[in-house]
Amino acid sequence: MKDYKGQINSIENIAKDVVKITILSALNDCCPGQFISILCPNKIIRRPFSIADFNEKEKTITIFVKYKGEGTKYLQNLNVGDYINFIAPLGHGFKIENKKSLLIGAGIGIAPLLFLKKELDKNNIKNYLISGFKANDEVIKGSDETKIGGSVLDDIEKIIEDKKIELIYSCGPNTVLEKLSKIAKKNNIKTQVALEKVMACSMGVCKGCAIRLFRNNEIINKTVCHDGPVFDACEVMW
Amino acid sequence: MMSNTSNTINTILKNPHNGNSFELKSPLLCASGTFGYADEYEGLVDFNELGAIVTKGITLEKRPGNAGERIFECDFGLINRIGLENIGINDFINEKLPILKQKNINFILNIAGSTLEDYEKLSYIANENDIKALEVNVSCPNVKHGCLEFGLKPDLLFELVKKIRANYKGFLIVKLSPNTTDIKPLAQSAQSAGADCISAINTIRALGVKVNFENNKFNKKFVQGGLSGACIKPISLYMISQIKQVVVIPVIALGGIYNLNDLFEYISVGADAFQVGTANFLYPSIASDLAKALKDFMMKNGFSCFEELKKEILNG
Ligand SMILES: Cc1cc2nc3c(=O)[nH]c(=O)nc-3n(C[C@H](O)[C@H](O)[C@H](O)COP(=O)(O)OP(=O)(O)OC[C@H]3O[C@@H](n4cnc5c(N)ncnc54)[C@H](O)[C@@H]3O)c2cc1C
Ligand SMILES: Cc1cc2nc3c(=O)[nH]c(=O)nc-3n(C[C@H](O)[C@H](O)[C@H](O)COP(=O)(O)O)c2cc1C
């Protein structure tokens, strides 16, 4: 983990309120599910973003930024050649297993899953990425199946069965992930979810983003920023 | 002013009453709760430039902290309600202390408790383990029992510090709260009960509120906790100026420190050293960067030591 100066390599609009930013930096190692935290002017704490792609040869990482407020507005208004400061790589990413995998992205949650899919493909691990968006203009490309409107979890049990899924990876709003955790429990299928919580230090020291897990009949505290953001969905106390 | 290339920011905090002292190679410290137990920041900060780090508040037993949202960002500050989540004194002694020792990181152990006995036991353990400096947190606004209760009543604080003093021989710092109408009697109590130093301030009670109008209805969010960051600096400056009217022991300033000017302002009201808190979240290397900036400033402007700079600001 280090403090990096990155230069904007490209920035493009890919969906309503979403830009894709490619950043050139000295970062030379990271894995799917990990994130970076960016210094945004006039903000008291940094802003975290999942790594959506990493190109080792070109020394670039890609993030998708969806507009929310001042921090994301600043990032969306950056120009090619501008510099940003970020700390990376942060957190513990998805634990890749050689199992037939289903990747479920809700909205901007697709970002880390695209990076994960690339890694799974590289390792010849069979996978299927399904993503859901509220409307047509919000769709971010790259999935095997895209759902528009409704819930990305509709028919998910059928997909799990039909495709003989052994492992699920997911990212999206906590409400979707919580619902997914119930499906996972019911179907007894291992599910890794990447969570979001407001974080201050982004490296595990301030305990601002603590969540509770139920593990081995015990309630334990973990930080989303350092121990996560990826957790076993069945352990998370929602 | 004397021009000298070997300028130094070494500083010694010394209690004139008993001669107890704590040596710092730099007046810049990292504040409790914003720097973990130090090892987490390896590679991000230059430990050689830091005077000391103050550990996250440690209690007798390990604590899970508060449930729910713990962080609320406001325009010029941060509200937190962590609720003293920490590993407890035993795990600290067994797991973190060896790392701090091995890496030779100068540190101050910050302790908090619910009862007088908690503080007594903690200070006893600190003494047994030869911990050089202790910061007593009687000012956390985020826990239900104890802690701040001791920091608001001068007689209770006197009794508490007296008990700790009896157990603990090292350098004893009492961290005061701004959540009071008059901080002077509290500072006096701490000093007369045997504290070697005062640090001020801890966070200020505050309520973060967010109201959104969405889908034809108002969504409200409330986060009650302690306010820190740039917006509390004027309050801390005031508190320290008050404290300095009634004590002779050194004072460590904290509250919204981000740049060199902040240091000068705190020196002008009598601060002897500084702790950087919330700013670490934005700039993990800020405390060591500020130490370097301070040295550069002194070099450029012909100050040979930190004492000389302090005198110049206070008397100039
Ligand atoms: C691990 C992680 C990965 C993320 N990955 C992505 C991503 O790939 N793409 C993307 O568009 N968004 C991502 N987010 C969300 C993104 O961080 C927020 O949308 C962003 O911080 C909003 O900042 P703002 O100043 O624009 O908005 P604000 O108006 O300041 O905040 C809007 C909302 O964003 C969230 N937020 C604000 N500050 C923080 C913070 N310091 N930490 C966490 N959440 C915060 C809060 O829910 C807040 O209510 C991720 C969040 C986390 C925790
Ligand atoms: C997230 C967070 C956790 C904190 N935890 C502690 C703590 O455990 N013990 C303590 O004495 N002070 C704690 N503090 C208070 C700080 O040490 C400091 O007094 C305060 O934040 C003011 O300084 P600042 O404006 O530079 O942050 C905490 C502050 C923050 C923001």
Side-chain angles (χ1 to χ4, degrees):
Chain A
M1 182 216 305
K2 259 182 152 155
D3 211 342
Y4 290 96
K5 191 172 173 183
Q7 189 175 29
I8 308 302
N9 209 29
S10 72
I11 178 160
E12 62 172 310
N13 216 162
I14 54 166
K16 185 181 164 230
D17 288 339
V18 180
V19 299
K20 173 178 164 180
I21 306 178
T22 310
I23 307 156
L24 191 66
S25 77
L27 178 66
N28 55 21
D29 193 27
C30 63
C31 65
Q34 286 190 304
F35 65 98
I36 68 175
S37 78
I38 307 180
L39 192 69
C40 298
N42 304 320
K43 295 280 107 187
I44 311 295
I45 46 181
R46 288 171 178 253
R47 297 292 188 262
F49 295 90
S50 304
I51 300 170
D53 196 14
F54 172 55
N55 187 325
E56 207 176 342
K57 238 176 48 215
E58 314 224 306
K59 295 232 163 265
T60 58
I61 51 169
T62 300
I63 56 169
F64 294 171
V65 176
K66 185 177 168 96
Y67 171 74
K68 284 277 178 191
E70 278 178 54
T72 46
K73 184 172 168 193
Y74 153 76
L75 292 170
Q76 294 205 339
N77 287 332
L78 287 168
N79 294 304
V80 172
D82 286 349
Y83 288 97
I84 59 166
N85 172 284
F86 64 92
I87 298 175
L90 293 167
H92 290 84
F94 296 107
K95 286 179 240 15
I96 294 179
E97 289 182 48
N98 194 357
K99 286 186 173 155
K100 189 146 192 235
S101 305
L102 176 64
L103 285 58
I104 306 169
I108 192 75
I110 190 177
L113 300 178
L114 288 172
F115 184 15
L116 176 65
K117 184 175 176 61
K118 194 170 128 183
E119 287 299 304
L120 295 176
D121 287 346
K122 220 195 284 178
N123 291 296
N124 293 316
I125 298 171
K126 282 215 175 95
N127 66 82
Y128 190 75
L129 170 56
I130 170 166
S131 60
F133 301 92
K134 281 197 190 116
N136 247 322
D137 57 356
E138 294 189 10
V139 172
I140 298 168
K141 293 198 185 79
S143 308
D144 297 302
E145 185 180 328
T146 302
K147 288 193 170 173
I148 296 159
S151 165
V152 68
L153 299 179
D154 294 342
D155 323 316
I156 216 77
E157 292 186 81
K158 188 165 180 313
I159 296 173
I160 293 170
E161 205 182 304
D162 290 354
K163 299 201 177 293
K164 305 203 165 50
I165 297 299
E166 300 165 307
L167 178 61
I168 297 174
Y169 301 95
S170 184
C171 182
N174 285 0
T175 45
V176 176
L177 302 180
E178 181 179 359
K179 220 163 123 191
L180 176 63
S181 76
K182 289 184 183 131
I183 297 171
K185 266 187 195 150
K186 189 174 140 207
N187 293 272
N188 194 21
I189 185 159
K190 263 243 176 282
T191 299
Q192 300 180 24
V193 290
L195 300 186
E196 276 190 17
K197 189 148 186 196
V198 177
M199 46 186 65
C201 72
S202 65
M203 44 198 142
V205 308
C206 79
K207 312 293 176 196
C209 61
I211 59 155
R212 289 186 179 164
L213 300 184
F214 192 71
R215 181 184 288 170
N216 303 328
N217 280 322
E218 225 190 323
I219 297 174
I220 53 173
N221 269 29
K222 293 281 172 192
T223 54
V224 171
C225 70
H226 179 70
D227 303 314
V230 177
F231 293 98
D232 177 340
C234 296
E235 288 185 347
V236 178
M237 296 173 69
W238 299 93
Chain B
M1 266 183 269
M2 191 171 69
S3 193
N4 190 337
T5 43
S6 66
N7 64 356
T8 156
I9 53 173
N10 273 15
T11 189
I12 298 175
L13 301 175
K14 190 167 180 182
N15 178 350
H17 288 145
N18 60 12
N20 255 3
S21 67
F22 188 49
E23 207 175 327
L24 303 168
K25 58 185 170 210
S26 139
L28 280 136
L29 293 78
C30 292
S32 179
T34 63
F35 215 70
Y37 307 101
D39 52 322
E40 299 95 330
Y41 275 85
E42 190 130 44
L44 285 166
V45 63
D46 186 349
F47 284 103
N48 286 319
E49 300 286 344
L50 296 182
I53 73 105
V54 187
T55 68
K56 171 69 193 166
I58 296 279
T59 51
L60 211 48
E61 312 288 341
K62 151 184 189 162
R63 287 201 191 178
N66 290 325
E69 289 297 320
R70 293 179 169 189
I71 297 287
F72 186 97
E73 187 187 34
C74 3
D75 284 350
F76 304 102
L78 190 71
I79 296 173
N80 89 80
R81 51 179 294 278
I82 310 294
L84 280 177
E85 173 175 347
N86 78 93
I87 58 176
I89 189 74
N90 285 338
D91 282 4
F92 175 80
I93 300 287
N94 294 329
E95 288 163 25
K96 298 295 179 179
L97 188 58
I99 301 176
L100 288 163
K101 277 193 173 150
Q102 185 219 331
K103 297 196 190 298
N104 207 12
I105 296 172
N106 202 26
F107 73 96
I108 297 168
L109 177 69
N110 179 292
I111 57 167
S114 313
T115 63
L116 217 70
E117 290 70 43
D118 283 1
Y119 285 98
E120 273 191 283
K121 284 185 192 154
L122 284 162
S123 52
Y124 181 81
I125 297 170
N127 201 60
E128 288 290 289
N129 285 279
D130 203 22
I131 284 166
K132 298 277 179 291
L134 201 60
E135 183 178 64
V136 182
N137 176 0
V138 284
S139 40
C140 179
N142 295 323
V143 287
K144 277 207 188 82
H145 304 289
C147 209
L148 183 54
E149 282 170 40
F150 296 104
L152 297 183
K153 296 187 190 110
D155 48 343
L156 205 53
L157 183 63
F158 181 86
E159 196 189 336
L160 179 81
V161 176
K162 191 111 197 147
K163 290 229 154 96
I164 295 172
R165 183 74 284 178
N167 279 347
Y168 181 69
K169 305 289 169 263
F171 195 73
L172 179 58
I173 305 163
V174 175
K175 184 170 182 181
L176 294 181
S177 167
N179 295 302
T180 171
T181 44
D182 190 1
I183 202 164
K184 292 195 294 291
L186 293 160
Q188 267 167 330
S189 281
Q191 175 174 280
S192 49
D196 298 314
C197 179
I198 283 172
S199 56
I201 55 176
N202 208 318
T203 57
I204 303 169
R205 274 192 178 130
L207 182 67
V209 181
K210 209 177 244 172
V211 182
N212 283 331
F213 189 66
E214 234 174 5
N215 303 326
N216 267 327
K217 74 176 222 259
F218 285 105
N219 291 313
K220 292 171 292 188
K221 187 163 127 188
F222 300 100
V223 177
Q224 187 183 321
L227 180 65
S228 64
C231 60
I232 73 166
K233 189 181 69 175
I235 297 170
S236 186
L237 285 164
Y238 169 73
M239 295 288 171
I240 290 166
S241 71
Q242 294 283 301
I243 294 166
K244 285 304 279 193
Q245 288 176 18
V246 295
V247 303
V248 294
I249 53 177
V251 174
I252 304 173
L254 61 163
I257 293 176
Y258 280 83
N259 58 45
L260 210 49
N261 258 321
D262 297 333
L263 305 187
F264 297 161
E265 290 168 22
Y266 275 117
I267 293 173
S268 78
V269 293
D272 298 286
F274 323 95
Q275 290 181 21
V276 181
T278 303
N280 288 308
F281 299 152
L282 266 195
Y283 315 101
S285 65
I286 186 163
S288 59
D289 292 348
L290 277 176
K292 284 179 201 153
L294 183 63
K295 268 196 269 189
D296 283 352
F297 175 89
M298 284 168 49
M299 177 98 83
K300 256 193 217 129
N301 296 285
F303 294 98
S304 59
C305 66
F306 184 59
E307 254 341 281
E308 191 188 331
L309 175 76
K310 262 171 38 184
K311 278 207 187 96
E312 187 72 21
I313 294 177
L314 279 169
N315 306 328

